[in-house]
Amino acid sequence: MKLGIVASNATSPSSYYRAFGALTYLAREQGIELMVSEVWDWARLMYCDALFMHCPMSREHVALAELARQTRTPVWVDHDDLVTSLGRDNSGYTSIMRADVQGNIRRCLELAAVVTVSTPELEKRLCPGATVIPNALNDFLHGREERGERREQRKVVTWRGGPAHYSDQETFGPAVGRVARLHPDWEFHFLGCAHWSLEGLMPKGSLVVHEWQDVLSYAEVLRELGPAIHIVPMVPTAFNLCKSNCAWLEATAAGAVTLAPAWGEFMRPGIVNYGGREFNAETQRTQRDAEVDVNCFERALGAVLVGNADVMAGLQRDSQRFIEGHLLLSKVNKQRMAVLRDITANGRKNKHG
């Protein structure tokens, strides 16, 4: 079988979890030939049994999907984020929330023989009826002895993310600062970026910022830091509610316990959840609701920093067991193979669009 592969950004963390980082291992295990090309034309498409497109949103992506329709090459579209609902605080807002780009996204979804997404909430909001394939820990890269080992963890709290999380950091930063002042023996390492206000909120010397390199280097740095706690504070926007739990997968592999909001993909064994009243993105939230979320997060963070070592180790093991049982790439790739077999079952007779 020959599978064409196209990604908006081949080396992005999203591609690592859902495109090149996942399909390369599927190809090796299943004897699939992956086709990568700088220039796509009808001859190359006719050579492929199917075409995988990760997060397509450009005019060129639409043209390629249209050409695939003409050659009757089944198109498989995959998304990891709610690209139809970016807030103005997201660094991609001006380039993605334009009418033409949104039209391109929708057209590619229409032309797809199948759409896969990372979470049930994303399926509901982006493409009802899409197939949910969760993100998974790459056990081909990380052997069992390298993932989830609860060594003697350092007094380190970690966070990771890019500028799209500035609003999350701005909202929860004061709470992190207050907890840090109460626990001066702890270090707080932010990998990727840190809101400019954090330096003034944190005790001197407690905040360490690591510039983003790449997803593989990040995993190594996280493991070397040996964090006891990994935090995922998020404002409940529609975009955030659709997010997957990669931060938890990564933190568990590094031996840490994750503190995350009480919604969606973060309601998993071993995760310490914080949150106020139940909500969704359509619920009108008041300033009081936001304060409750921040207060809940602050109390939870303070509690885990002084948590019983045996209890914390048990939580981390609970996360590790769930991931080992359900969210390893070797297991989840079976779902991808089922999708691929389905859309290629009838060969060129499989029409779409």
Side-chain angles (χ1 to χ4, degrees), residues 16-17 21-22 25-26 29 135-147 249 253 323-334 336:
Y16 170 79
Y17 278 103
Y25 292 96
L26 179 69
E29 294 232 306
N135 288 333
L137 185 67
N138 190 329
D139 51 320
F140 298 98
L141 283 181
H142 306 287
R144 188 178 183 89
E145 71 282 357
E146 296 177 321
R147 60 181 188 264
L249 299 175
I323 292 169
E324 293 283 338
H326 304 280
L327 294 175
L328 295 180
L329 183 61
S330 58
K331 298 177 184 289
V332 173
N333 262 353
K334 294 177 182 179
R336 291 188 171 91

Side-chain angles (χ1 to χ4, degrees), residues 213-292:
Q213 300 176 54
D214 59 73
V215 67
L216 297 181
S217 298
Y218 157 73
E220 288 186 359
V221 171
L222 190 64
R223 183 171 176 81
E224 289 170 2
L225 286 172
I229 306 297
H230 187 84
I231 59 173
V232 189
M234 288 196 292
V235 177
T237 62
F239 185 84
N240 281 347
L241 287 168
C242 292
K243 276 192 169 295
S244 61
N245 51 29
C246 295
W248 167 59
L249 299 175
E250 298 155 358
T252 301
V257 171
T258 300
L259 171 61
W263 73 57
E265 298 305 286
F266 291 101
M267 302 296 290
R268 293 290 183 267
I271 298 180
V272 178
N273 296 114
Y274 75 88
R277 69 179 179 87
E278 292 185 4
F279 58 82
N280 57 52
E282 285 73 40
T283 302
Q284 185 64 40
R285 289 176 58 78
T286 65
Q287 179 62 32
R288 176 58 182 162
D289 292 326
E291 292 173 358
V292 169

Side-chain angles (χ1 to χ4, degrees), residues 21 31 55 63 68 127 136-137 143 171 193 201 230 236 269 276 285 293 299 309:
C55 198
C127 185
L137 185 67
T171 299
C193 71
L201 295 168
H230 187 84
R285 289 176 58 78
D293 286 343
R299 288 195 298 271

Side-chain angles (χ1 to χ4, degrees), residues 183-198:
H183 301 276
D185 52 335
W186 283 76
E187 296 177 1
F188 292 75
H189 290 251
F190 281 54
L191 294 89
C193 71
H195 193 274
W196 48 88
S197 66
L198 286 170

Side-chain angles (χ1 to χ4, degrees), residues 91-147:
S91 57
Y93 178 86
T94 55
S95 59
I96 296 176
M97 292 306 292
R98 295 171 7 207
D100 59 328
V101 175
Q102 290 296 305
N104 295 337
I105 292 169
R106 289 298 179 190
R107 183 55 181 158
C108 287
L109 291 172
E110 292 169 359
L111 290 166
V114 66
V115 176
T116 53
V117 295
S118 53
T119 71
E121 190 68 21
L122 184 56
E123 178 268 330
K124 183 176 75 174
R125 295 174 184 272
L126 179 67
C127 185
T131 298
V132 177
I133 298 180
N135 288 333
L137 185 67
N138 190 329
D139 51 320
F140 298 98
L141 283 181
H142 306 287
R144 188 178 183 89
E145 71 282 357
E146 296 177 321
R147 60 181 188 264

Side-chain angles (χ1 to χ4, degrees), residues 14 177 187 319-320 330 353:
S14 183
E187 296 177 1
S319 287
Q320 184 185 359
S330 58

